[in-house]
Amino acid sequence: MPPQHLTRSAEELLHVVESLHAMPFPQQEEKAVDRWSGPGCHVAVLVESQDFWEDRSSEVVEEAEESIEADFIGLAALLTERWGAPGAVDLWPYLGFDNPDPDFRAPEPMNFLCGLAGSMQVWRPPASDRWIALAIGQADPEFPLQLLAACGEGSALPG
């Protein structure tokens, strides 16, 4: 059975990312069906596969992974064409395992993203104090794979 996700063109996904980039950050957390926003950040689910509760066979999972990866590659190509080559950001440090402060909490949206993905590709649009990121994440093996877009204040990411 093919992945059950809404198929959108790379251009449609780019429009969603551009909308996130232009959208003001709220003063407090806001949730919508496919978007979460907070002070200094937005995160949107661009594409979501089926879940894997019923069928976790390698064929089903691989097909879903390939489909999400293809969406990622298509959108990343458009973002690179528009804003130049991305940088890779490892999300592992944002989990805080190596942080000596027991009360450490990563800034959003990295705190959210590090629970779903190991890394993200980041673009820094010129003349903007914001960054845009793409990541493929999954909360648990039974949950859907997700292509995520995030937008954050420049100060939330180093250099």
Side-chain angles (χ1 to χ4, degrees):
M1 182 170 167
Q4 311 226 338
H5 69 274
L6 177 64
T7 302
R8 297 194 226 176
S9 70
E11 289 78 15
E12 289 172 311
L13 296 176
L14 177 63
H15 177 72
V16 174
V17 170
E18 288 174 329
S19 296
L20 280 181
H21 183 250
M23 188 182 304
F25 294 130
Q27 293 298 313
Q28 55 190 339
E29 188 173 302
E30 297 175 356
K31 292 184 180 181
V33 173
D34 61 351
R35 180 182 50 81
W36 166 78
S37 298
C41 67
H42 301 294
V43 177
V45 177
L46 300 175
V47 179
E48 185 172 77
S49 75
Q50 71 186 53
D51 66 42
F52 304 103
W53 290 101
E54 303 279 326
D55 187 357
R56 182 126 180 90
S57 65
S58 59
E59 296 84 23
V60 169
V61 173
E62 285 175 20
E63 191 172 339
E65 288 171 342
E66 289 171 4
S67 180
I68 293 284
E69 182 71 22
D71 290 332
F72 178 96
I73 290 168
L75 178 55
L78 292 177
L79 292 172
T80 298
E81 186 177 296
R82 178 159 296 188
W83 293 322
V89 173
D90 180 8
L91 292 170
W92 174 257
Y94 294 102
L95 289 170
F97 294 130
D98 296 332
N99 194 308
D101 180 359
D103 297 323
F104 172 78
R105 182 177 165 95
E108 294 297 357
M110 277 68 67
N111 187 57
F112 175 78
L113 292 170
C114 72
L116 300 173
S119 66
M120 63 184 184
Q121 295 294 306
V122 177
W123 290 263
R124 296 181 186 265
S128 175
D129 62 347
R130 296 179 176 198
W131 50 265
I132 295 287
L134 293 181
I136 296 174
Q138 186 177 28
D140 218 23
E142 296 81 16
F143 282 61
L145 291 162
Q146 297 177 320
L147 174 56
L148 303 161
C151 177
E153 293 178 331
S155 62
L157 276 179

